[in-house]
Amino acid sequence: MLRIGLTGGIAAGKSTASAHFAALGARVVDHDVLARRAVEPGSAGLVDIVRVFGDRVIKDGSLDRAALAAIVFNDPTARERLNGIVHPSVFAMGRAADRQARADGVDVVVHDIPLLVESGQIADFDTVITVAAPVEVRVERLIASRGMTRQEAVARIGAQASDDARAAIADVVLDGAGSAESLRRQVEEWWAVHVP
């Protein structure tokens, strides 16, 4: 089973690449989904987050993601504390997804991990692929697609590893600066060469 770690900064095009890997037949494990599952109401993760950050991050019994983001994207220490709560659960769920894929006879598993550099899982994968796009392109995408202010977009990008850091750990760098179709073609070209 070929295990791929797919990463990329926010708004670089990683989701487009991930969706195309799925369309080509890979099983995609979305670590953002696992992270949400790790902090569902009633989870140990949510209890720990409230213990560390207080009730200000809860709304109607669920995690108030906007309130938590306002804290952690402006405070690296708070972000480290949050990652220390969430990452162990996400790692365990990712390993379980791999076991299930192996049991199901899946040939290619793509772990879609926005924070691959930050979480230190690089050695866990046969291949690491990153999707890169210039910061200004990503800022404009975040403003257009998510309604962020320029300041919010820059802060969100700045809270993640740099494109240089992601490129340094990658076996392959895909160019996400252009159209979605261009990125899909790059995924297909890689797949044609590396997947029997």
Side-chain angles (χ1 to χ4, degrees):
M1 187 172 78
L2 176 62
R3 297 177 67 254
I4 299 169
L6 175 66
T7 193
I10 188 170
K14 180 180 55 59
S15 296
T16 297
S18 179
H20 205 55
F21 275 114
L24 292 170
R27 178 168 294 176
V28 174
V29 180
D30 185 334
H31 285 234
D32 273 346
V33 171
L34 300 184
R36 286 192 289 278
R37 200 175 301 156
V39 297
E40 288 175 340
S43 68
L46 185 59
V47 170
D48 287 343
I49 287 172
V50 172
R51 181 180 47 75
V52 170
F53 296 102
D55 288 338
R56 63 190 167 153
V57 298
I58 295 294
K59 185 176 182 179
D60 300 326
S62 296
L63 182 63
D64 183 341
R65 295 181 182 287
L68 185 59
I71 297 167
V72 301
F73 285 111
N74 295 307
D75 182 346
T77 302
R79 194 163 52 251
E80 283 179 29
R81 294 179 78 186
L82 175 63
N83 289 342
I85 294 167
V86 176
H87 283 174
S89 294
V90 172
F91 295 169
M93 287 187 274
R95 288 190 296 272
D98 274 342
R99 287 192 298 274
Q100 186 62 57
R102 200 174 303 279
D104 293 342
V106 171
D107 293 324
V108 180
V109 176
V110 175
H111 285 262
D112 179 337
I113 309 176
L115 303 180
L116 182 57
V117 171
E118 297 89 335
S119 65
Q121 300 174 80
I122 298 141
D124 293 349
F125 299 101
D126 301 310
T127 299
V128 173
I129 299 174
T130 189
V131 181
V135 169
E136 192 52 39
V137 169
R138 294 163 55 202
V139 167
E140 293 304 322
R141 287 176 178 170
L142 289 170
I143 292 169
S145 67
R146 301 196 191 182
M148 290 185 183
T149 66
R150 180 167 297 279
Q151 183 178 357
E152 289 168 338
V154 169
R156 191 66 61 95
I157 290 168
Q160 295 183 333
S162 68
D163 280 342
D164 287 345
R166 278 188 289 272
I169 57 95
D171 299 297
V172 179
V173 178
L174 302 178
D175 181 4
S179 68
E181 185 53 40
S182 169
L183 183 53
R184 285 191 287 267
R185 276 197 305 274
Q186 293 172 66
V187 170
E188 287 174 8
E189 288 166 3
W190 183 90
W191 184 275
V193 171
H194 294 91
V195 178

